[in-house]
Structures are given as structure tokens and as C-alpha cells.
Amino acid sequence: MEDDYGNDSTTVDTAKAERSVWLMKCPPVVSKAWESSAAAAESPSVAKVVVSLDPLRAEDPSALQFTMEMAGSEVVQMPKGYSLNMFKDFVPMCVFSETNQGRVAMEGKVEHKFDMKPHHANIEEYRKMCRERTSKSMVKTRQIQVIDNDRGVHMRPMPGMMGLITSNNKDKKKAAPVKGSDVKRTRRDRGELEDIMFKLFERQPNWALKQLVQETDQPAQFLKEILNELCVYNKRGTNQGTYELKPEYKKSVEDTGAE
């Protein structure tokens, strides 16, 4: 048991548990300015808090006011003066810290909570700075890369990639998905394909589209064009969902077979 309590990674240092701490929500530009000051090892004084109290209205909550003046910043447009709006009703909170070695310590309990806002005189300047920051974040930085291979191999679309390359969302909606199996198939000569189709229907009278695609190794859409000219599609009956030759082509096939 003594070893467990002596291990710093499993105990919390509570020596500063009763110390009062202020919790303040500040704008991102102020936080970044303080971080840059700390990284540059400048003076630890980054701002000055001014507390104003009207003794004639001590019981009035508005009699106590907090303001903050920035000590200095590299950001030229950043306002120097801020108002600290204090909240009285908030959930009790404590502040903890953790070292690189994993030791956890309690730094104090939150006594006051503030919301930091620029003074009314500087509010328009602050809005302008926020608008400029938003506009800069929306600008897309584009880079130009020089390709060593001047034959254009890297720029040529490869099989199976055409369905993945789209310029925008509208093109995604309009472009029909390309099946990988159809990309690999190449169209035969129309007359040659018709001869193959007649031989298949000599073998059996009814064929499904999927079966014909496998037998001919042709794109389904191209095969449908031939079938619409040579065949009749059975929508009902025992041969539902299959194709069979039109009567005039059946007769020519039978005559050829008899010869």
C-alpha cells in the first residue's frame, strides 16, 4: 500500500487546492498573441487587469467592473482594451495540471468566470479583423507540380478510374456509375456479333441477358441494342425474363440448320 501512495502517477498533488483561480474565455487572436509571446521568451506580463469599484453603490452588481489592457502584441489590428463580463452562476470547477512525467496536480478552484470582449469603441475594428481572417481562411492555396515524365502517363486515365474522377457534386449526380466489367469489354463488329447471336440461339431458344453477356463478352448496353433488333423479350409466361428470336429470324435459322 505504501508503494501505491508513493507513486506520483497514481496520486494527485492537492497542495494548491484552495487557491483561487479565474477562468476566462478569450478570443482566438488574443490566445495566439499570448502563445507567441511565451514562445519568444518575452516578458511574462502579457496584460493588465483593472478592477473598478464604485463605493457609493457597493451592493449593486454593476458597481464592480473588470477591464483588461493588452501589454503589447505583434498583431497591429488587434484591439488593446477588453471588457471582462463576470458570471456569478456557474458549475463549481477546479483546475488540474499534468507534467510530462504524468504527475497530476490540483492548481486551484475557479472563483470567478469571465467572458472577454473588446471595448465598444473597438468593436468595429475587431469585426473587420474577424472578417479578414475568415476571408483568408476561405482562399484555397494551389500548388503547381512539375512532372518529370513528359509522355503524360500520369495524366492519362486508367481503366476503372473514369467513374471515380468527377469535377464537382453536380457531375457525380449526372454521371452514371461505370462497371468495371464493362470497361474491360471491347465491342465486336456488329455483323460478327449477329452471327454469334444466331449460333447461340441455335443451341437453345431462350437466353437471359446476363447469360448472353457472359457468352459473348460484350457490354450489356451494346448487347441490348442487338437484341432489340433480333429478338423478342418475354415479360410473362414460363420464359419470363428471357430473349428469343423474332419469328422471321427463327425461320432463317431453322432453314440454315436444315441445310
Side-chain angles (χ1 to χ4, degrees):
M1 296 296 292
E2 293 180 0
D3 294 340
D4 294 340
Y5 285 108
N7 190 354
D8 293 338
S9 61
T10 58
T11 59
V12 179
D13 184 5
T14 58
K16 302 177 182 178
E18 297 301 323
R19 185 174 65 169
S20 298
V21 179
W22 288 9
L23 178 64
M24 183 177 63
K25 181 180 179 182
C26 63
V29 64
V30 176
S31 176
K32 291 181 180 179
W34 287 344
E35 288 178 0
S36 61
S37 299
E42 297 179 359
S43 174
S45 177
V46 293
K48 178 178 66 175
V49 178
V50 179
V51 182
S52 303
L53 176 63
D54 187 354
L56 300 179
R57 300 185 298 116
E59 297 181 357
D60 188 356
S62 61
L64 183 63
Q65 295 185 358
F66 297 85
T67 58
M68 177 177 288
E69 300 294 333
M70 300 292 293
S73 175
E74 297 179 356
V75 183
V76 179
Q77 296 180 350
M78 187 181 71
K80 305 297 182 181
Y82 295 86
S83 301
L84 303 182
N85 300 328
M86 185 173 64
F87 296 90
K88 293 188 176 293
D89 298 331
F90 61 91
V91 179
M93 292 177 286
C94 297
V95 179
F96 294 86
S97 64
E98 183 178 3
T99 62
N100 295 333
Q101 292 75 23
R103 182 177 179 179
V104 181
M106 188 174 178
E107 298 296 336
K109 59 182 179 180
V110 178
E111 180 181 1
H112 296 300
K113 183 179 179 182
F114 297 90
D115 188 7
M116 184 177 179
K117 294 183 179 180
H119 284 319
H120 184 71
N122 301 326
I123 194 65
E124 188 59 35
E125 182 182 2
Y126 181 73
R127 289 175 180 173
K128 181 180 179 181
M129 182 185 64
C130 291
R131 287 194 296 267
E132 292 179 355
R133 183 180 60 191
T134 303
S135 300
K136 289 181 180 179
S137 64
M138 296 176 65
V139 176
K140 296 181 179 180
T141 57
R142 303 187 180 187
Q143 298 179 351
I144 299 176
Q145 182 179 1
V146 180
I147 300 176
D148 296 334
N149 191 336
D150 58 355
R151 292 178 297 174
V153 176
H154 300 289
M155 302 176 64
R156 197 181 309 153
M158 303 300 292
M161 294 179 60
M162 294 302 294
L164 302 177
I165 303 175
T166 53
S167 58
N168 50 39
N169 294 331
K170 293 182 178 179
D171 293 339
K172 291 181 181 178
K173 295 179 180 179
K174 294 180 180 179
V178 179
K179 296 183 180 179
S181 59
D182 284 352
V183 173
K184 297 179 182 178
R185 297 189 175 101
T186 56
R187 293 189 177 190
R188 293 177 177 268
D189 179 71
R190 196 178 187 91
E192 180 185 358
L193 181 57
E194 288 181 359
D195 293 339
I196 295 174
M197 296 288 288
F198 283 130
K199 291 180 181 179
L200 289 174
F201 281 100
E202 287 180 11
R203 191 196 309 174
Q204 66 182 47
N206 295 90
W207 289 89
L209 177 62
K210 185 177 181 181
Q211 294 174 324
L212 292 172
V213 170
Q214 294 175 353
E215 290 286 339
T216 60
D217 193 27
Q218 292 295 291
Q221 188 60 36
F222 179 52
L223 205 56
K224 280 185 178 180
E225 296 177 6
I226 306 296
L227 289 171
N228 290 336
E229 295 180 4
L230 304 180
C231 301
V232 177
Y233 182 72
N234 297 310
K235 297 182 179 180
R236 56 181 63 86
T238 56
N239 297 321
Q240 182 179 2
T242 62
Y243 289 88
E244 64 178 58
L245 288 176
K246 293 180 179 179
E248 57 269 26
Y249 293 115
K250 276 185 179 181
K251 184 177 180 180
S252 61
V253 171
E254 291 174 357
D255 293 342
T256 304
E259 292 176 359

